[in-house]
């Protein structure tokens, strides 16, 4: 079996970028600290990817912040 670590790393990197993009898109208008959400999304996707997907889902279902 030929395991190519470079390809696996590239796939993980691309999936991380996609999930972080969607997490930030969903969290916009729902949080006051968007950079921290981005940092958490990157951290979760690099350490344990399914946790990053759940985090993305969480921000997609959270309601908008009330307007002042």
């Amino acid at each position: 079996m030929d395991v190519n670590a470079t390809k696996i790393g590239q796939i993980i990197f691309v999936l991380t970028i996609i999930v972080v993009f969607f997490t930030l898109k969903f969290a916009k208008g729902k949080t006051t600290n968007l950079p921290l959400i981005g940092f958490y999304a990157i951290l979760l996707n690099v350490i344990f990817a399914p946790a990053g997907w759940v985090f993305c889902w969480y921000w997609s279902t959270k309601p908008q912040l009330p307007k002042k």
Side-chain angles (χ1 to χ4, degrees), residues 1 14 25 27 39 41 53 56 65 67:
M1 185 163 104
V14 170
K25 183 177 178 178
F39 176 71
W53 304 336
C56 184
L65 288 176
K67 301 284 184 190

Side-chain angles (χ1 to χ4, degrees), residues 11-49:
I11 291 169
I12 291 171
F13 178 74
V14 170
L15 288 175
T16 298
I17 296 298
I18 291 169
V19 172
V20 169
F21 170 77
F22 280 111
T23 302
L24 291 175
K25 183 177 178 178
F26 292 141
K28 196 174 213 178
K30 299 178 183 180
T31 183
T32 57
N33 198 350
L34 202 58
L36 185 63
I37 300 302
F39 176 71
Y40 286 163
I42 291 170
L43 198 61
L44 285 171
N45 277 295
V46 170
I47 293 174
F48 184 64

